[in-house]
Amino acid sequence: MFQSMEPMLLPETQEIITAGNLGELVSDETLDFFTHFISDAILMSIFRWITGAAKIPADQFVTKLKEVEAF
């Protein structure tokens, strides 16, 4: 999951972390941690949706996932 999402998450994660650090560059280790963390959160959300715990239609679920990418 991470490998397929990394190209999409990496630039935004870098931007978010850098902004939070007032423009300071972050280590690759920190960037890797946050990218994995976001990837895990998305994976868990998909799992919860598939198992029926998240009662939301597929099109709305995909829209919500795209909103996460934008944040």
Side-chain angles (χ1 to χ4, degrees):
M1 177 74 168
F2 173 76
Q3 290 172 341
S4 63
M5 298 190 73
E6 183 181 25
M8 178 177 54
L9 292 175
L10 200 55
E12 278 111 22
T13 304
Q14 175 72 51
E15 186 175 319
I16 291 166
I17 295 172
T18 301
N21 285 331
L22 304 175
E24 294 179 27
L25 293 177
V26 296
S27 69
D28 288 342
E29 182 179 302
T30 299
L31 185 58
D32 187 58
F33 173 83
F34 279 99
T35 304
H36 273 92
F37 183 85
I38 293 167
S39 179
D40 289 347
I42 292 170
L43 181 60
M44 188 61 201
S45 181
I46 292 169
F47 176 78
R48 191 171 48 246
W49 181 75
I50 288 172
T51 61
K55 304 203 182 314
I56 182 172
D59 59 333
Q60 289 178 14
F61 182 76
V62 171
T63 299
K64 297 285 184 195
L65 284 180
K66 288 179 181 179
E67 290 173 3
V68 169
E69 179 186 331
F71 114 81

